[in-house]
Amino acid sequence: MVSESWEDLNPRKDQYGNIEIFDVYYKRIKLKREFSHIPREVFEQWIWAHHDKIESITNYGWLNYENIEFKLCCWSNKQLENIYVIKKFRDYYKNRASYNDFNSFCCTPKDIEQWKDSGTWRIPPIIIDTDSLKKIPKKCELVAPYQLVEGHSRLGYLQSMLTIDKLGKGKVAETHKIYLMREFTCT
């Protein structure tokens, strides 16, 4: 079951199945008042990029995005250590969490510099507060209290940064920005 709002957020595709470029998509979507509360970074890293992925559709496609907020928060390393990662991406996350130096990081030069200079990610990942959801369909893999929606590499690299910090090869930040996704009730 897919919500009407999830369908409305769908990137357009050409005759070959290629999705529209992000800037064209965002220019079109940001005109829709009912989605004006969703940050650009959330669109770019998740809704536009992974809209047609089965994990996104099954776990989050049923939500009414007119009633979903994305709050930019700062969380501590402790708050981020027990975030649930869905089974399909758990090995990927664990691999990214297993490094003990920066040479193993598989990200852009800009992102590696951010890790080295600031001890944190450049773009905040998205974490859902599953306790805020009123009714979760049985087919979903949603685990309380918090689950990673997007940012598997980043959350894994954070775990590696904790190791790198302990080894004296770098310094992990004490807090990290995230987008906390939660359902709210319109009154």
Side-chain angles (χ1 to χ4, degrees):
M1 186 171 89
V2 175
S3 72
E4 187 176 320
S5 65
W6 185 254
E7 288 295 334
D8 288 345
L9 292 167
N10 195 8
R12 293 181 179 154
K13 294 184 179 182
D14 66 17
Q15 67 220 30
Y16 305 106
N18 301 311
I19 66 170
E20 64 191 317
I21 61 171
F22 177 74
D23 289 334
V24 172
Y25 168 81
Y26 185 67
K27 186 176 181 180
R28 178 174 56 83
I29 291 295
K30 76 176 184 176
L31 296 175
K32 297 183 179 196
R33 185 179 47 81
E34 62 270 31
F35 305 127
S36 62
H37 64 285
I38 302 174
R40 178 186 173 97
E41 289 175 321
V42 170
F43 281 117
E44 190 166 14
Q45 70 172 308
W46 177 51
I47 297 173
W48 169 78
H50 301 291
H51 190 274
D52 63 349
K53 304 296 188 271
I54 192 66
E55 299 79 25
S56 291
I57 295 166
T58 301
N59 291 323
Y60 317 109
W62 56 276
L63 293 165
N64 178 357
Y65 284 84
E66 293 178 40
N67 298 334
I68 299 295
E69 69 177 345
F70 295 87
K71 183 178 178 186
L72 189 60
C73 305
C74 277
W75 277 18
S76 69
N77 292 317
K78 184 78 173 156
Q79 287 175 290
L80 290 164
E81 72 182 21
N82 292 314
I83 304 300
Y84 183 79
V85 174
I86 64 172
K87 291 175 189 154
K88 181 170 183 178
F89 297 114
R90 199 166 299 142
D91 286 342
Y92 178 87
Y93 157 78
K94 286 179 181 179
N95 180 51
R96 297 288 193 259
S98 69
Y99 305 144
N100 61 18
D101 62 49
F102 292 109
N103 294 332
S104 300
F105 283 35
C106 306
C107 49
T108 67
K110 193 189 291 189
D111 288 323
I112 287 181
E113 285 308 309
Q114 176 75 15
W115 283 112
K116 288 178 178 178
D117 294 345
S118 302
T120 191
W121 39 65
R122 190 170 55 85
I123 299 170
I126 304 163
I127 295 172
I128 190 167
D129 174 357
T130 58
D131 288 338
S132 74
L133 304 176
K134 309 309 181 261
K135 185 177 179 185
I136 299 172
K138 290 183 181 187
K139 64 181 176 164
C140 295
E141 184 183 351
L142 288 167
V143 177
Y146 301 105
Q147 176 168 310
L148 182 66
V149 173
E150 175 51 24
H152 298 82
S153 290
R154 284 166 279 170
L155 191 61
Y157 290 150
L158 176 60
Q159 296 307 310
S160 289
M161 280 300 300
L162 293 168
T163 301
I164 289 167
D165 188 285
K166 284 179 188 170
L167 295 171
K169 297 179 180 180
K171 181 83 173 122
V172 68
E174 292 182 21
T175 61
H176 312 272
K177 290 182 181 178
I178 63 146
Y179 283 109
L180 184 61
M181 177 179 167
R182 61 169 50 131
E183 187 174 20
F184 63 89
T185 305
C186 292
T187 53

